[in-house]
Amino acid sequence: MARAALRPRSAWRLGVAKSDKAAKPAKNGRAEKPAKSGEPVKGGKPWRRAKAEKASRPEPRERHVLPLPIRLLAMLVAFGFMVAFAVVLAKLTLEPSPASASLVHTNLHPGRSIRAYMEQPALRDAVKQIGGNILLGVPFGVLIPVVAPRARGLLRVLLLTAVVMLLVEFAQGALVDGRAFDIDDVILNTSGALIGWIVLGRRMGRVHARERVPRRPAKGTKSA
């Protein structure tokens, strides 16, 4: 009888001991949560299997959209057009004009020459002056993204165009008879490069585009 009466009490003690053990906090002060079904457990077989599969996967590489020979051919053709355009630009801007030496003046104030063009009585002359300077900058916006892949962005194209045109204007004012430095010509040329990039240049620059591959998270960082 005594043994039979002690059995329920011992069973009750075992149950209390198990509940205390389950509620015991971890070493870091947080209660341990039981792992959910389907989640990899560190030290268990699923976690090791996932780690082995991740190590066996080949690392992704960047691949060009177009083959290298086609991209080189496009760069060569664009470079030929750039050289031809440079010859035409030099002929138009660096050719001496002694007859107009008394008519041209250096302009360092943006907008002054443009207002003078617009105030001309003949609309044809204004369109010729403004439109001609804009057209001179269009090839820069179209050809630079192909010739220089690292400079195919809009800001770099505009910056490179402005630098080249500033050098041309400095050469005109310092070395060429009948020519003068005009900051408005640089502004109009750069605007032409902007138009060329928007219309065709950004599409031409896709010759050097690459397929984007998602980067793997660095070691020690947890993915969300």
Side-chain angles (χ1 to χ4, degrees):
M1 293 296 290
R3 292 181 179 177
L6 289 174
R7 286 179 183 175
R9 188 175 180 183
S10 61
W12 177 80
R13 289 180 177 177
L14 290 175
V16 172
K18 289 181 179 179
S19 61
D20 292 342
K21 186 177 181 180
K24 186 178 180 180
K27 294 181 180 180
N28 56 1
R30 298 180 181 178
E32 296 179 353
K33 296 181 180 180
K36 297 180 181 180
S37 58
E39 292 184 355
V41 182
K42 188 173 182 181
K45 292 183 178 179
W47 180 79
R48 292 180 179 177
R49 186 180 302 172
K51 185 177 180 181
E53 291 178 357
K54 185 178 180 180
S56 62
R57 292 176 184 174
E59 295 183 359
R61 297 180 180 179
E62 290 185 348
R63 296 181 179 180
H64 292 280
V65 177
L66 294 179
L68 180 61
I70 296 179
R71 290 187 291 110
L72 291 178
L73 179 61
M75 292 179 65
L76 183 62
V77 173
F79 181 76
F81 278 105
M82 184 65 78
V83 171
F85 169 69
V87 173
V88 175
L89 179 64
K91 186 176 181 180
L92 293 175
T93 58
L94 301 179
E95 185 177 357
S97 180
S100 58
S102 58
L103 302 176
V104 297
H105 303 282
T106 301
N107 176 33
L108 300 176
H109 301 279
R112 177 180 292 180
S113 295
I114 296 177
R115 287 194 298 268
Y117 296 151
M118 298 298 295
E119 292 174 357
Q120 291 182 1
L123 181 62
R124 180 179 179 181
D125 294 336
V127 172
K128 181 179 178 180
Q129 293 291 338
I130 297 177
N133 284 312
I134 291 177
L135 288 177
L136 283 178
V138 171
F140 284 94
V142 176
L143 298 176
I144 287 178
V146 184
V147 177
R150 295 185 178 180
R152 65 177 183 266
L154 176 59
L155 295 179
R156 295 184 179 182
V157 169
L158 297 181
L159 180 61
L160 187 58
T161 303
V163 170
V164 172
M165 290 306 176
L166 280 173
L167 293 176
V168 171
E169 290 296 325
F170 278 125
Q172 283 184 346
L175 303 176
V176 182
D177 188 18
R179 303 281 184 175
F181 179 88
D182 194 341
I183 191 62
D184 284 340
D185 291 347
V186 179
I187 296 174
L188 293 174
N189 297 148
T190 308
S191 301
L194 173 62
I195 295 173
W197 185 87
I198 293 175
V199 174
L200 193 60
R202 58 179 179 176
R203 299 179 182 178
M204 297 289 290
R206 293 176 184 175
V207 174
H208 305 288
R210 297 181 179 183
E211 293 181 355
R212 295 181 179 179
V213 180
R215 296 181 179 179
R216 292 184 176 180
K219 294 182 180 180
T221 59
K222 296 182 179 179
S223 58

